[in-house]
Amino acid sequence: MDSMTQSAKDQSFQELSYEQARDELVRVVNQLEQGSNTLEDSLALWERGEALARRCEDWLDRREGPSRCGSCRSGHRRIR
């Protein structure tokens, strides 16, 4: 894996669009599913996948805003 610092990696994730982060996450999952990586590389891929998944979730949360339950007026957040 590359030797980027954690803050540099976090910065690069923040610049990805939803589609870019999702596509990269798919690539990471495919690499992990192949099972041909070293343990160290697998852990690094897992961490990258976690960060990419958070990025996708952040994008979706910002786009949808607070989701409200359509069947009640109490303002409960809808479970996704």
Side-chain angles (χ1 to χ4, degrees):
M1 296 282 103
D2 58 43
S3 60
M4 291 177 72
T5 64
Q6 187 62 40
S7 61
K9 287 179 184 178
D10 291 345
Q11 176 88 21
S12 66
F13 288 132
Q14 295 305 315
E15 296 170 3
L16 294 177
S17 70
Y18 171 80
E19 292 80 8
Q20 290 170 321
R22 183 201 58 218
D23 291 347
E24 180 63 19
L25 180 56
V26 168
R27 282 190 287 276
V28 166
V29 169
N30 287 335
Q31 284 184 286
L32 286 168
E33 287 178 340
Q34 289 177 5
S36 60
N37 299 299
T38 65
L39 178 59
E40 183 177 297
D41 287 347
S42 293
L43 289 172
L45 282 167
W46 180 269
E47 290 173 0
R48 181 169 177 77
E50 288 282 324
L52 289 162
R54 277 191 303 275
R55 178 63 177 152
C56 289
E57 187 174 357
D58 290 345
W59 260 103
L60 292 174
D61 286 345
R62 279 192 315 211
R63 294 291 182 212
E64 292 179 1
S67 298
R68 301 292 176 200
C69 200
S71 61
C72 67
R73 298 179 191 273
S74 63
H76 292 111
R77 284 186 58 86
R78 179 181 62 183
I79 299 174
R80 292 185 225 145

